[in-house]
Amino acid sequence: MPQIAVRGLELRYVLEGPDDAPVVAFSNSLGATLEMWDALLPALAGRFRTLRYDTRGHGGSETSDRPTEIADLAGDLAGLLDALAIGRAHLVGLSLGGMTVQALASAEPERAVSATLMATAAHLPTAQTWNARAATARSQGTGALVDATLARWFTPAFAQHAPETVQAVRERFIACDRAGYAVCCEAIGRMDLRPALSAITAPTLVMAGRDDPSTPPAMAEEICAGIAQAELVVLPRAAHLLAVERADAAGLYLRAFLDRIETARP
């Protein structure tokens, strides 16, 4: 897969679909890679051009082991769009990716045709918890965190019925760069995007998993309360990584939302 220099870092990305189609840019979860969107993409096939990338320190993207803020991750996404000569896009993010999208859509509202925020939060305390997770990743690697993480990411029923899918996610999580994972944990611990939500002017879809213990529906409701044009969907039988566990439903809701916006555009 290609890489491109963005703000001093090499980021791995995939851009595919019709050249003249509206662009949908995806930002992935902490500890995941761009492959997390694979099962959802067929819902957009033929109608949209999709851009996926690995967050800095994840997958095939370069790591920067220095203090990092969510605003820096938003800057990476904006820089990637600039490097690919994409002026505006539909922005989609899950968990950390959803935080990245909130930060970009509020700082540069003109960049977002729409925003879709999946299984995410505007504020996710406590800093001490995130710093402890970062310290574990640095000292022991992400393998020390994988079992507890996957228990939050998938419902027990999905883990039982789709073990190969869960195993692939596990392997990518374990392969995540220690420092890359840690700096993103620390960024989440310092994050408070709640004051910025009102600056998001794009139509926004907020999607939550009913069984998500990490970012439960109440956090999605908080985001919706802060964004003027936000609507909420709560998916049943879905934990945190809902774009994988409920790729079918998430894809259908996303496609309907994007189609509605594209139809209304001048």
Side-chain angles (χ1 to χ4, degrees), residues 2 28 47 58 103 108 120 123 128 141 149 163 199 210 221 223 249:
N28 50 274
R47 178 72 169 90
H58 291 64
E108 301 183 46
T120 193
H123 180 57
Q128 291 85 347
T149 298
R210 183 174 294 166
E221 292 170 358
I223 293 173

Side-chain angles (χ1 to χ4, degrees), residues 149-159 165-166 169 239-241 244-245:
T149 298
L150 294 189
R152 296 187 296 268
W153 278 12
F154 301 113
T155 63
F158 183 81
T165 299
V166 174
V169 172
H240 189 58
L241 214 64
V244 176
E245 181 166 9

Side-chain angles (χ1 to χ4, degrees), residues 58-169:
H58 291 64
S61 288
E62 196 172 3
T63 296
S64 175
D65 189 7
R66 60 176 184 266
T68 299
E69 307 298 337
I70 300 298
D72 295 314
L73 305 185
D76 290 348
L77 176 52
L80 177 61
L81 294 173
D82 288 340
L84 296 171
I86 299 170
R88 304 182 72 215
H90 297 281
L91 306 179
V92 181
L94 188 148
S95 193
L96 177 63
M99 299 165 192
T100 300
V101 169
Q102 289 175 69
L104 179 55
S106 59
E108 301 183 46
E110 70 283 356
R111 302 300 297 262
V113 180
S114 73
T116 299
L117 310 173
M118 299 182 178
T120 193
H123 180 57
L124 198 58
T126 63
Q128 291 85 347
T129 299
W130 287 104
N131 290 340
R133 190 184 299 189
T136 298
R138 288 182 184 278
S139 63
Q140 302 177 48
T142 52
L145 300 164
V146 68
D147 289 334
T149 298
L150 294 189
R152 296 187 296 268
W153 278 12
F154 301 113
T155 63
F158 183 81
Q160 179 179 354
H161 294 301
E164 293 181 358
T165 299
V166 174
Q167 180 61 27
V169 172

